[in-house]
Amino acid sequence: MSQSSQSQSSKSQPSKSQSTTLALENFLPYRLTRLTDAISRDFSQAYRARLGLTRPEWRTLATIGQFGTMTATEIGAHSSMHKTKVSRAVASLETRRWLVRTPDPQDRRVERLTLSKTGQKAYEDMVPVARSFETKLLDRMKPKERAALLEGLEALERTTLTE
Amino acid sequence: MSQSSQSQSSKSQPSKSQSTTLALENFLPYRLTRLTDAISRDFSQAYRARLGLTRPEWRTLATIGQFGTMTATEIGAHSSMHKTKVSRAVASLETRRWLVRTPDPQDRRVERLTLSKTGQKAYEDMVPVARSFETKLLDRMKPKERAALLEGLEALERTTLTE
DNA sequence: AGGAATTGGTTGCAATCGTAACCATGGCGA
DNA sequence: TCGCCATGGTTACGATTGCAACCAATTCCT
């Protein structure tokens, strides 16, 4: 599925003693980035091919699609994106006419962002694609493994993310 | 630990029906990238602060440190990096005099890359740091969760990575 | 033996990204 | 009400990235 990462050279053996050495291929941060890069690159192909979106644009679309109307700051908070990324993604979606800005009458610094009809269509087009991508990913694992992954991820998120 | 990702807006509720909507925060590719970004950013701070290395440079150092002597292509294969990344990282480590290139007498396209004494020192300096980073990460989880994470990750790697 | 295709590695270029600086508005205390 | 800090959002800039093109050396095929 993923051609993005090269294959491991499975034959080469360490020439240094175990204790002085770190096995990169077993190192958790490395494993996570490698896995994540491959998966998110595969998935990004889906929305890039289908909608011509970049990743920040997809996340922005997904967030507004999920909640209906949001401010740029809220989008950033919900999709873990820096505000400059959100700003540029919003600008790009706006020129595509997939979203509309309306000034907030209460606070003129704020812009309320809403999907246009076209943007909404695009979102609704992508939801089943995303769902099936995730399903395919999980369905290749045994039920026990799948459960383990979700439990483990949740635990790691709990201890790592929310301060 | 990680200030890199913003906190979730835990109060906002979806304004769309469940079925038409995708909950980004539960979407596996999103969860993985968010988690991975946070972790690898935290870890990168460690080697950036200590050694002044970028991520490709750290991976290169780690790979040569692990195997002793390698070619650029082998480094890329073992650390999942594009050859241009490896090329630039090697060049940078070379100007620091942390590694040495020696031409391969058998095949003059190839360069054999070895750590200098200084580079070796730097590597040996980082190994315990990396180990303790990983340990700290895992030690905050309950044993059962830790086991689940590792089992789940392995399974996902198995079905996703190795074609 | 002698091109054609492959491999190892580097470089140019355009796109993307994060940091910091910035502008405008709003909240707040004296 | 005035000044000051905080907030929402955009932009300029340098650094990093991936892709494609490239050069040199090797292997393959006939």
Side-chain angles (χ1 to χ4, degrees):
Chain A
M1 176 175 207
S2 151
Q3 306 89 304
S4 44
S5 13
Q6 286 102 329
S7 59
Q8 227 70 336
S9 60
S10 45
K11 57 209 166 292
S12 47
Q13 67 279 17
S15 61
K16 307 298 184 74
S17 73
Q18 258 276 61
S19 53
T20 332
T21 264
L22 182 77
L24 189 63
E25 69 276 17
N26 297 328
F27 186 51
L28 189 58
Y30 170 70
R31 289 175 63 189
L32 279 171
T33 61
R34 183 167 50 122
L35 190 54
T36 296
D37 282 358
I39 289 175
S40 93
R41 194 179 301 209
D42 281 342
F43 179 57
S44 84
Q45 274 197 295
Y47 52 74
R48 202 154 34 85
R50 209 177 179 90
L51 307 176
L53 292 180
T54 66
R55 205 168 65 148
E57 286 161 15
W58 151 250
R59 281 198 188 176
T60 300
L61 181 72
T63 304
I64 309 186
Q66 180 179 355
F67 291 105
T69 288
M70 300 194 87
T71 70
T73 303
E74 289 171 338
I75 293 174
H78 187 259
S79 63
S80 305
M81 289 197 297
H82 191 85
K83 57 185 191 162
T84 63
K85 259 189 191 171
V86 177
S87 174
R88 295 189 249 247
V90 165
S92 157
L93 290 176
E94 192 192 16
T95 60
R96 272 173 209 247
R97 307 192 180 281
W98 282 13
L99 71 76
V100 181
R101 310 186 197 228
T102 28
D104 185 323
Q106 312 300 325
D107 184 342
R108 288 188 319 192
R109 292 171 302 182
V110 174
E111 310 182 308
R112 327 212 82 238
L113 305 168
T114 317
L115 292 186
S116 69
K117 212 155 278 177
T118 325
Q120 185 64 33
K121 279 261 174 54
Y123 176 69
E124 283 163 18
D125 190 38
M126 267 308 292
V127 168
V129 175
R131 282 239 176 76
S132 103
F133 180 90
E134 188 183 44
T135 301
K136 264 188 225 129
L137 214 54
L138 292 171
D139 276 2
R140 279 180 293 178
M141 295 193 266
K142 301 199 198 92
K144 203 179 69 102
E145 296 169 337
R146 188 160 50 241
L149 176 69
L150 296 177
E151 179 191 351
L153 270 188
E154 213 169 298
L156 190 55
E157 285 172 341
R158 218 179 303 123
T159 64
T160 306
L161 260 28
T162 68
E163 176 68 1
Chain B
M1 177 173 204
S2 151
Q3 305 89 306
S4 45
S5 14
Q6 285 102 326
S7 59
Q8 226 70 334
S9 60
S10 45
K11 57 211 164 289
S12 46
Q13 67 278 18
S15 61
K16 307 297 184 76
S17 73
Q18 258 275 66
S19 51
T20 331
T21 263
L22 181 77
L24 188 63
E25 71 275 17
N26 297 328
F27 186 51
L28 190 57
Y30 170 70
R31 289 175 65 190
L32 280 171
T33 61
R34 184 166 51 121
L35 190 55
T36 296
D37 281 359
I39 289 176
S40 94
R41 193 179 302 210
D42 280 343
F43 179 57
S44 84
Q45 275 198 296
Y47 53 73
R48 201 154 37 84
R50 209 176 177 90
L51 307 175
L53 291 181
T54 67
R55 205 169 66 150
E57 286 161 13
W58 152 250
R59 280 198 188 175
T60 300
L61 181 73
T63 303
I64 310 185
Q66 181 179 355
F67 292 104
T69 289
M70 301 194 86
T71 71
T73 302
E74 289 170 338
I75 293 174
H78 187 259
S79 62
S80 305
M81 289 196 296
H82 189 85
K83 57 186 191 160
T84 61
K85 258 191 193 173
V86 178
S87 173
R88 295 189 248 248
V90 165
S92 158
L93 290 177
E94 192 192 17
T95 61
R96 273 174 209 246
R97 307 192 179 282
W98 282 13
L99 71 74
V100 181
R101 309 185 198 231
T102 28
D104 184 322
Q106 312 299 323
D107 184 342
R108 289 187 318 190
R109 292 172 302 183
V110 174
E111 310 183 307
R112 328 212 80 238
L113 304 169
T114 318
L115 292 185
S116 69
K117 211 155 280 177
T118 324
Q120 185 64 33
K121 279 263 174 53
Y123 176 68
E124 283 163 17
D125 190 37
M126 267 308 292
V127 168
V129 175
R131 283 240 176 76
S132 102
F133 181 89
E134 188 183 45
T135 302
K136 264 187 226 128
L137 215 54
L138 293 170
D139 276 3
R140 278 180 293 179
M141 294 194 265
K142 302 199 198 95
K144 201 178 71 103
E145 298 168 337
R146 189 161 49 240
L149 176 70
L150 296 177
E151 179 189 350
L153 271 188
E154 214 168 298
L156 190 56
E157 285 171 341
R158 217 179 302 124
T159 64
T160 306
L161 260 28
T162 68
E163 176 70 357

